[in-house]
Amino acid sequence: MFGGPKLDILYMTSMAKPPLPCFPGDGVLRGSLFAITGLGIKGVAEPRFAG
């Protein structure tokens, strides 16, 4: 999803299975929210839905 005042920030979430016992450090960032900037692209504004 794009957001920010200029719709130039890409927001992404992550998910993963619980870490395996042999790799306890895996999945440290699971469930995190990332804001990615500097891509040089923008999202498109969507009209708001009025119910």
Side-chain angles (χ1 to χ4, degrees):
M1 163 181 264
F2 284 93
K6 298 179 183 176
L7 294 176
D8 60 349
I9 303 171
L10 177 61
Y11 293 97
M12 294 181 65
T13 60
S14 66
M15 63 179 246
K17 295 179 181 177
L20 298 171
C22 57
F23 300 107
D26 278 1
V28 174
L29 296 175
R30 68 178 178 266
S32 296
L33 174 65
F34 299 94
I36 303 169
T37 60
L39 294 174
I41 57 174
K42 293 183 179 182
V44 177
E46 294 184 5
R48 296 202 76 128
F49 176 60

